[in-house]
Amino acid sequence: MLCIVNGNNDEYSSMGTIVLATDGSEFANAAAVTAIDLAKQSRDTLRIICVVEREKFSEPALSSGELATIDAEYRAGNCISEVSEMAADEGVTVEGVTRHGVPHQTILEYAAEVGADRIVVGEHGDHDRHFSGVGKELAKAAETDVIVVSPGED
């Protein structure tokens, strides 16, 4: 399923800058496939962001919290690497970042920073909130199109 929120369904070839928000979940992987396809069509660099949730993982401290943060950062890097490999197989150039913060706010900040025309996100994620959370918040607050993707049924 592909749903464009806050925009229209114009030709993707004139799409412009695309931001993919990923967390490595099944839904994020489906969104990655869509984002890579769109970036390939538009011949633009795909920008990827993985947010380490500030609510779950505070700033590092010398404690078990630090270890959890390091692990979350490591997993975020792996998410970006996995999508980068998928994109390379399709000839798509990728720039990826890991940021700390509240997911929807941090994604919106990054999208503004890179001048994104579209944000692609999975319908659900690997976190406590689902579409009623991050995706919905993006759709409400974004000044660009938000493309929400759920895995197709085979």
Side-chain angles (χ1 to χ4, degrees):
M1 177 176 100
L2 178 74
C3 173
I4 299 179
V5 184
N6 290 348
N8 55 48
N9 199 2
D10 290 340
E11 286 294 314
Y12 291 130
S13 59
S14 60
M15 179 161 284
T17 302
I18 301 165
V19 167
L20 168 68
T22 185
D23 62 9
S25 68
E26 171 188 3
F27 290 88
N29 290 338
V33 170
T34 298
I36 290 166
D37 184 50
L38 297 175
K40 184 176 180 179
Q41 290 177 42
S42 67
R43 297 180 183 92
D44 197 10
T45 298
L46 176 62
R47 285 157 175 90
I48 306 169
I49 182 169
C50 188
V51 180
V52 176
E53 282 192 72
R54 181 180 297 150
E55 295 168 359
K56 279 188 172 180
F57 306 102
S58 61
E59 292 302 314
L62 295 175
S63 67
S64 61
E66 179 180 35
L67 295 175
T69 302
I70 291 168
D71 181 59
E73 291 171 344
Y74 177 76
R75 284 185 283 122
N78 283 343
C79 291
I80 293 170
S81 293
E82 182 179 310
V83 175
S84 296
E85 290 173 16
M86 293 167 56
D89 290 344
E90 296 296 324
V92 173
T93 303
V94 169
E95 292 178 9
V97 298
T98 299
R99 302 271 171 95
H100 287 254
V102 177
H104 73 276
Q105 293 172 349
T106 307
I107 293 164
L108 290 171
E109 290 166 4
Y110 179 67
E113 181 183 312
V114 299
D117 297 297
R118 313 249 180 187
I119 300 169
V120 182
V121 64
E123 184 177 17
H124 297 276
D126 186 24
H127 47 76
D128 296 334
R129 290 170 260 156
H130 296 295
F131 186 65
S132 60
V134 175
K136 185 176 181 179
E137 293 299 322
L138 285 172
K140 284 193 308 189
E143 295 181 10
T144 63
D145 293 340
V146 176
I147 302 173
V148 180
V149 180
S150 65
E153 298 188 322
D154 294 332

